[in-house]
Amino acid sequence: MITLEMMPPLMFGGLVLAMLIGFPVAFTLAAVGFSFGFLSIHLGFFDFVFLQAIPGRVFGSVLSNELLLAIPFFTFMGAVLERCGLAEDMLDSMGQLFGPVRGGLGYSVIIVGFILGAITGTVAAQVIAMALISMPVMIRYKYNMRYITGVLAASGTITQLVPPSLVLIVLADQLGKSVGDMYLGAWGPSVFQIMLFAGYTFLLGLIKPDHVPPVPRDALTLKGWPLWRKCLLGIIPSAVLIFVVLGTMMLGLATPTEAGAMGAVGAIVLAAIHSKDFSTKGRKVLIVGVIAGGIGTMVGIFVAENLLFKLAFAVAYFAVIWVCLEAVRIPELRSLIKQGYESTMRLTTMVVFILIGSTCFSVVFLGVSGGVWLEHMLTSLPGGVWGFLIFINLFIFFLAFFLDFFEIAFIILPMVAPIAQKVLAPVVGADAALIWFGVMLCVNMQTSFLHPPFGFALFYLRGVAPKEVKSSDIYWGAMPWIGLQVIMVVLVIAFPWTVTALLDKPISAEDISKVRIEVPQLDELPPLDFNTLGKPK
């Protein structure tokens, strides 16, 4: 006889077994959820009416969730930018800038990976683009093959952590926290991660200089101001787009969905700028629009939102519309935008179906007291808070061998989040607990793209690498970088301030005690004249 206590572990076992068979995760989650739901009704654990919560949550929490609208916008932005030539220009200029330094091509890949991560947000696009551009150059200058494959794959996965990562948006939604706070929490670990990557390259240059040789100066095609000009032409527009997307969100000027919409339009503008067929008239209109936008911003900050402010931004909006129409006019960009729509449609559909399936599973799981079972299991671990964190991170690290981050986030996080809030609140405070937990898991889930046998970044790299690159070089090359990412997980666990330093400090009881509200006494109030009451002044 199956008891209520047996149902939660049986559901997990059934889910793992169904996934091993090879069915799509979204349909597996729904099938397992409904199967155990009808079994629970048959055994009398709950009534059929309980399953009415599933359509209620699907339509109320999934399909009407405004935060999830940001996903297609950021996906489209990344899909456009990955093919518009921005990565090629930045890698070429950075490679020539850092090339003469030992390990310089590695530094350029790491830096460009960080910048592209802040404007694309997609691992596949980044790994493929950087591998196609940088791998032949690094092979030509005799870089170690395992270093080449490792740095390309790892620099592509950093986009998981650098805002505006899709992972952070999903984590914020599932943990019930604001996307802006999740982005602020992720900046510290993402910068430290880049420093770890650069530090490893520097040490490798000291220990094994033949693995990362410098590029001969006579091989450089650009020097002096032309080189710096090309670097700035790649960095400045990217920085403007990063501010438009992230700055407006963090300053409270736009919601994540609004920032994503601006980012999608900004990606089209950036793609048009980098197109060789972009007309001179379009460039002039863009320059006028940038100047008008700057004037409007200055007026809004230092004066007020007056007529000049509105006129300036009207000109800026007209310039953006003009550039977008120019982009549609160019056949290459028109095809690029169409491909962006198609990839956005595929990813968004996948996310929605996984969310619907995970809703079916989680409702039934909670109905058979799965939350109580999971809380008892996790809170009874030895080591208290640190035992909980070590177990969860090892569990996520293991799951990442087989599941994508979307699947992990939608299946595991809704069950674990309430427990994490209760366990971690005494360490960093109730407001920052889930931010710390979410960023920690985001750093951990970076490894899901790198470690064998199912690291997607390794698959992407294998698909575009030349035939002389062995699969063993790709897999072994990833190992040191997985170690660096694990070190980053340990640092985030040991030093919570790496996440919480930029977050707003919560109001303490001492601060509240200093607040004074003065109410005037009755004898201090002016006397009332009853003869004037009710008469117009």
Side-chain angles (χ1 to χ4, degrees), residues 397-420:
F397 183 81
F398 173 75
L399 284 180
F401 277 85
F402 310 101
L403 299 179
D404 186 55
F405 77 88
F406 280 119
E407 296 149 8
I408 294 173
F410 293 145
I411 299 170
I412 304 301
L413 277 187
M415 304 175 190
V416 178
I419 306 167

Side-chain angles (χ1 to χ4, degrees), residues 85-311:
L86 179 66
E88 289 91 333
D89 290 347
M90 293 183 69
L91 281 169
D92 179 51
S93 58
M94 289 291 179
Q96 297 204 47
L97 184 64
F98 291 101
V101 180
R102 186 181 293 127
L105 294 179
Y107 293 133
S108 67
V109 168
I110 294 168
I111 293 170
V112 172
F114 179 75
I115 297 173
L116 289 179
I119 59 175
T120 61
T122 52
V123 173
Q126 202 158 315
V127 172
I128 292 171
M130 292 199 301
L132 287 172
I133 301 159
S134 296
M135 184 176 281
V137 178
M138 298 177 86
I139 293 174
R140 185 190 315 152
Y141 292 111
K142 309 298 182 186
Y143 270 63
N144 179 266
M145 186 60 70
R146 292 184 178 178
Y147 175 81
I148 295 173
T149 57
V151 72
L152 287 171
S155 299
T157 61
I158 191 66
T159 190
Q160 293 289 96
L161 183 59
V162 180
S165 164
L166 291 179
V167 181
L168 295 172
I169 296 175
V170 172
L171 288 173
D173 176 68
Q174 295 299 301
L175 294 173
K177 307 302 289 186
S178 76
V179 177
D181 284 345
M182 195 66 72
Y183 284 171
L184 286 173
W187 274 118
S190 60
V191 171
F192 280 116
Q193 186 83 84
I194 291 298
M195 292 171 64
L196 281 176
F197 289 173
Y200 172 73
T201 302
F202 178 76
L203 289 177
L204 194 64
L206 295 178
I207 299 170
K208 295 181 179 180
D210 57 313
H211 282 201
V212 285
V215 176
R217 292 190 177 273
D218 55 4
L220 303 179
T221 58
L222 290 174
K223 296 179 181 178
W225 170 243
L227 175 58
W228 282 101
R229 180 177 178 273
K230 189 171 184 178
C231 290
L232 293 175
L233 286 177
I235 293 174
I236 292 176
S238 303
V240 171
L241 183 60
I242 291 170
F243 173 77
V244 166
V245 175
L246 297 178
T248 54
M249 230 189 311
M250 293 178 180
L251 293 173
L253 302 176
T255 65
T257 304
E258 292 165 347
M262 289 190 293
V265 175
I268 297 175
V269 173
L270 216 57
I273 294 172
H274 280 81
S275 173
K276 297 177 181 178
D277 298 325
F278 190 50
S279 67
T280 305
K281 187 176 182 180
R283 295 185 187 278
K284 292 179 179 178
V285 171
L286 179 63
I287 292 171
V288 171
V290 170
I291 295 172
I295 293 172
T297 303
M298 293 298 104
V299 171
I301 292 174
F302 296 107
V303 185
E305 295 185 8
N306 53 21
L307 181 61
L308 178 61
F309 172 86
K310 295 177 182 179
L311 287 175

Side-chain angles (χ1 to χ4, degrees), residues 243-487:
F243 173 77
V244 166
V245 175
L246 297 178
T248 54
M249 230 189 311
M250 293 178 180
L251 293 173
L253 302 176
T255 65
T257 304
E258 292 165 347
M262 289 190 293
V265 175
I268 297 175
V269 173
L270 216 57
I273 294 172
H274 280 81
S275 173
K276 297 177 181 178
D277 298 325
F278 190 50
S279 67
T280 305
K281 187 176 182 180
R283 295 185 187 278
K284 292 179 179 178
V285 171
L286 179 63
I287 292 171
V288 171
V290 170
I291 295 172
I295 293 172
T297 303
M298 293 298 104
V299 171
I301 292 174
F302 296 107
V303 185
E305 295 185 8
N306 53 21
L307 181 61
L308 178 61
F309 172 86
K310 295 177 182 179
L311 287 175
F313 272 100
V315 173
Y317 294 152
F318 173 78
V320 169
I321 294 171
W322 184 283
V323 173
C324 290
L325 292 175
E326 284 266 331
V328 175
R329 181 187 60 81
I330 301 171
E332 182 183 351
L333 290 182
R334 189 164 61 245
S335 174
L336 186 152
I337 293 170
K338 180 185 175 184
Q339 294 173 22
Y341 284 140
E342 291 172 350
S343 60
T344 301
M345 178 186 64
R346 284 193 295 269
L347 182 68
T348 306
T349 305
M350 181 195 74
V351 169
V352 170
F353 271 100
I354 292 176
L355 266 172
I356 292 172
S358 66
T359 300
C360 299
F361 181 87
S362 62
V363 166
V364 176
F365 185 76
L366 294 175
V368 294
S369 301
V372 177
W373 170 76
L374 198 62
E375 181 177 356
H376 180 266
M377 183 181 69
L378 293 178
T379 54
S380 60
L381 291 169
V385 174
W386 310 113
F388 168 78
L389 290 177
I390 291 171
F391 174 81
I392 286 294
N393 278 281
L394 290 175
F395 181 57
I396 296 295
F397 183 81
F398 173 75
L399 284 180
F401 277 85
F402 310 101
L403 299 179
D404 186 55
F405 77 88
F406 280 119
E407 296 149 8
I408 294 173
F410 293 145
I411 299 170
I412 304 301
L413 277 187
M415 304 175 190
V416 178
I419 306 167
Q421 175 71 34
K422 183 184 297 185
V423 173
L424 302 181
V427 180
V428 293
D431 294 333
L434 290 182
I435 300 293
W436 179 36
F437 184 67
V439 173
M440 185 191 310
L441 295 190
C442 186
V443 178
N444 193 331
M445 283 190 281
Q446 283 184 104
T447 61
S448 68
F449 282 86
L450 274 186
H451 54 50
F454 303 116
F456 289 107
L458 307 182
F459 291 157
Y460 303 144
L461 204 57
R462 176 68 278 174
V464 298
K467 293 182 179 179
E468 61 265 25
V469 179
K470 300 177 183 178
S471 296
S472 59
D473 289 331
I474 294 177
Y475 287 117
W476 283 109
M479 293 303 172
W481 305 89
I482 295 174
L484 294 174
Q485 290 179 339
V486 171
I487 290 172

Side-chain angles (χ1 to χ4, degrees), residues 36-118:
F36 277 89
F38 290 126
L39 178 61
S40 299
I41 293 170
H42 175 71
L43 296 175
F45 297 142
F46 51 72
D47 296 328
F48 183 79
V49 179
F50 182 79
L51 294 183
Q52 291 180 353
I54 294 176
R57 288 184 61 176
V58 167
F59 287 99
S61 301
V62 177
L63 299 181
S64 62
N65 190 338
E66 293 186 3
L67 178 58
L68 294 179
L69 281 175
I71 291 178
F73 285 125
F74 284 116
T75 304
F76 177 78
M77 183 177 74
V80 170
L81 291 175
E82 74 177 82
R83 301 180 180 93
C84 72
L86 179 66
E88 289 91 333
D89 290 347
M90 293 183 69
L91 281 169
D92 179 51
S93 58
M94 289 291 179
Q96 297 204 47
L97 184 64
F98 291 101
V101 180
R102 186 181 293 127
L105 294 179
Y107 293 133
S108 67
V109 168
I110 294 168
I111 293 170
V112 172
F114 179 75
I115 297 173
L116 289 179

